[in-house]
Amino acid sequence: MQTSDPRSCVWNATAIAAPDTPPLPGDTEADVCVIGGGFTGLSAALHAAEAGVRTVLLEAAAPGFGASGRNNGQVIPAYVRHNPDDIVALYGPELGERMNAWVAGSADLVFELIRRHRIECDAVQNGWLQPAHTLGRMRLVLNKYEQWMRRGAPVELIEDRDEVAAMTGSPIYHGAWLHRAGGHIQPLSFARGLASAAMAAGAAVHARSPAVEIRRNGDRWQVLTPRGAVLADSVILATNAYTDRLWPGLRQSIVPVRSFHVSTVPLADDVARTILPGGQGLSDTRQALWAFRLDRCNRLVTTATPLFTVGARGVLRRSTATRLRIAFPQIGDVALECIWDGKVAMTVDRLPRYHELAPALYAGLGYSGRGIAIGTAMGKLMAERAIGRLNEELPVPVSPVQALPMHDLLVPLSRTMVLFYRWKDARG
Ligand SMILES: Cc1cc2nc3c(=O)[nH]c(=O)nc-3n(C[C@H](O)[C@H](O)[C@H](O)COP(=O)(O)OP(=O)(O)OC[C@H]3O[C@@H](n4cnc5c(N)ncnc54)[C@H](O)[C@@H]3O)c2cc1C
């Protein structure tokens, strides 16, 4: 089985059942047509349907097929690189602080949806930890803590090495900041639960229904699939790293990077109790990220970054075993169960993009590896925009679509960046 086959992903084994989402059978009409069934599109469909408008969602494969069903499950209400002050410097105090508040509230939105719709997805909101992998990176940790704390976010600073070792179960970290609103979920279950909630609210969700063309039809949009078309007032494009040629330039505006993940077999209880005993998820300060969380069966689910994707399985088995021995020596030799990959939509500055591509045609993408909370919030935002409930004071800038020069070269180039990141990480 290929690592990109969704069946190779650990979440497949423990997810709730998928709702019945038959393909679009023929022509139909809607107020809002959503394209893409990940967190962004499903959240958009749910919020549009809850507002009482006719909503149709088209997904090329199945809900959660893309990154949403294959990620680490860490719900993170913070930017990848930027600090809140950077956002204010970029967008000015009003829009900048609106965006900061929007990002800060994004994890609460995820957990509130899970509670309200009773989605069984092993949700744990005990916080998200970002520990410093070198002493030098403590400056980054301090900055993030201090700037989010100034804005009232529920954050804590852990400066004591013994304390961070007790919280993570790892001896390698120098300190950390903790965002109490973060947490983790079973991502495929969350995607399927969102699909069921959207359908319960009245949305029609169609799997195996790729949108192949979007064309203007009077003052409405017509979205064509192989078996039928949707005539809609508004269209929301939520295809992220799986974006195809549906809209000119959109695919070239992000770099779809293959991100690999590995899960161990369930750890023995006495070992599992020592790892992240507070139930947090962890993503450290490396650029070639090390992220860890336990699932409900005590499997350790972690990132893996191979230099070459050909033959990645064997390389990743060896490199992950080495990495686990460094990060969690108490684990000893542990068997690895699943290796899989999914596509992450990277932007050059690692900030998400919100586009108004044409009248009543919206797109949100480019979360650069932080799309669980921010993608869910983006879906809500686009639904509110599409139904006319959000007419001013948007919490994000409206960006023009900018195709990246030499886009086709950027994907292979992004792999060689791993070497650069590892070098930078080692220097701290
Ligand atoms: C391995 C990995 C680990 C990650 N870990 C984390 C993490 O721990 N925390 C975090 O916050 N983020 C993480 N991310 C990122 C996060 O998963 C994504 O940002 C998020 O899932 C994006 O959701 P989405 O709905 O925008 O896109 P996706 O979930 O990728 O959904 C896009 C969907 O669009 C569909 N589609 C594409 N074209 C068409 C078309 N023409 N017609 C119909 N449908 C179409 C695709 O089939 C796909 O299902 C990770 C990503 C990966 C790959």
Side-chain angles (χ1 to χ4, degrees):
M1 199 188 296
Q2 295 291 319
T3 54
S4 50
D5 184 331
R7 287 171 304 170
S8 64
C9 172
V10 70
W11 304 123
N12 218 34
T14 56
I16 57 172
D20 189 23
T21 50
L24 179 72
D27 293 349
T28 188
E29 289 194 35
D31 298 306
V32 178
C33 176
V34 180
I35 302 173
F39 301 141
T40 307
L42 292 164
S43 164
L46 170 60
H47 285 98
E50 279 188 322
V53 305
R54 288 173 306 164
T55 306
V56 173
L57 183 145
L58 302 171
E59 159 57 45
F65 166 84
S68 296
R70 307 163 187 242
N71 56 62
N72 199 270
Q74 299 200 28
V75 186
I76 307 170
Y79 307 98
V80 182
R81 279 192 188 157
H82 291 72
N83 291 330
D85 287 356
D86 304 327
I87 299 299
V88 169
L90 271 174
Y91 303 132
E94 283 178 19
L95 175 57
E97 292 301 2
R98 273 206 302 279
M99 183 156 170
N100 288 334
W102 180 74
V103 167
S106 59
D108 283 339
L109 171 69
V110 167
F111 290 105
E112 190 262 323
L113 288 174
I114 290 169
R115 275 191 299 273
R116 185 150 53 90
H117 297 284
R118 296 194 173 82
I119 299 176
E120 287 175 26
C121 62
D122 307 333
V124 180
Q125 193 176 15
N126 276 1
W128 169 74
L129 269 168
Q130 188 171 38
H133 74 283
T134 63
L135 202 50
R137 295 302 264 178
M138 273 307 283
R139 206 172 55 214
L140 175 147
V141 161
L142 270 164
N143 261 331
K144 291 197 182 294
Y145 160 75
E146 189 275 321
Q147 294 190 25
W148 283 113
M149 192 257 309
R150 233 188 309 125
R151 288 163 173 90
V155 292
E156 288 165 33
L157 180 67
I158 302 107
E159 288 184 283
D160 180 72
R161 259 196 99 138
D162 291 338
E163 200 181 333
V164 80
M167 287 179 84
T168 58
S170 172
I172 63 174
Y173 294 118
H174 296 260
W177 72 292
L178 170 68
H179 201 309
R180 282 264 167 226
H184 52 79
I185 54 166
Q186 208 284 21
L188 184 57
S189 293
F190 179 48
R192 290 177 173 175
L194 278 179
S196 298
M199 289 159 72
V205 176
H206 297 290
R208 303 186 303 286
S209 303
V212 291
E213 193 184 332
I214 306 175
R215 46 162 100 119
R216 203 71 176 137
N217 186 320
D219 58 356
R220 304 182 83 190
W221 291 102
Q222 194 175 26
V223 182
L224 278 65
T225 77
R227 294 202 205 174
V230 183
L231 190 62
D233 294 335
S234 309
V235 173
I236 292 173
L237 260 169
T239 49
N240 206 33
Y242 293 78
T243 297
D244 51 21
R245 292 167 201 279
L246 210 50
W247 192 259
L250 195 59
R251 188 178 72 89
Q252 291 87 352
S253 70
I254 48 108
V255 183
V257 174
R258 276 176 80 185
S259 170
F260 287 76
H261 263 52
V262 174
S263 65
T264 67
V265 295
L267 303 177
D269 283 349
D270 57 333
V271 177
R273 265 197 294 276
T274 66
I275 296 173
L276 295 160
Q280 287 95 22
L282 172 171
S283 320
D284 73 16
T285 50
R286 285 177 176 82
Q287 296 203 42
L289 180 68
W290 290 18
F292 305 98
R293 49 82 46 101
L294 291 172
D295 80 350
R296 70 154 187 258
C297 306
N298 286 338
R299 296 179 183 91
L300 192 59
V301 186
T302 178
T303 44
T305 321
L307 199 49
F308 302 106
T309 53
V310 181
R313 225 171 241 283
V315 176
L316 288 181
R317 280 192 184 281
R318 287 187 294 279
S319 62
T320 306
T322 309
R323 198 149 56 84
L324 291 182
R325 265 197 297 278
I326 296 169
F328 300 104
Q330 68 273 37
I331 292 185
D333 284 332
V334 64
L336 304 179
E337 202 172 64
C338 299
I339 300 180
W340 70 95
D341 74 88
K343 289 194 264 181
V344 175
M346 305 299 280
T347 57
V348 173
D349 57 11
R350 306 288 185 268
L351 287 172
R353 296 288 188 274
Y354 167 66
H355 304 294
E356 302 202 340
L357 302 167
L361 179 50
Y362 312 92
L365 75 174
Y367 313 115
S368 304
R370 292 276 167 92
I372 299 180
I374 296 175
T376 305
M378 184 69 87
K380 178 172 187 258
L381 180 159
M382 290 194 288
E384 288 172 347
R385 191 79 173 140
I387 62 181
R389 287 207 179 154
L390 184 63
N391 293 324
E392 47 198 42
E393 306 218 324
L394 281 170
V396 287
V398 183
S399 312
V401 175
Q402 284 178 325
L404 297 168
M406 296 189 293
H407 183 260
D408 288 344
L409 287 179
L410 291 177
V411 176
L413 193 68
S414 67
R415 292 244 73 82
T416 59
M417 287 298 283
V418 170
L419 270 182
F420 174 63
Y421 291 150
R422 284 186 191 160
W423 173 75
K424 276 187 84 174
D425 289 339
R427 285 182 37 156

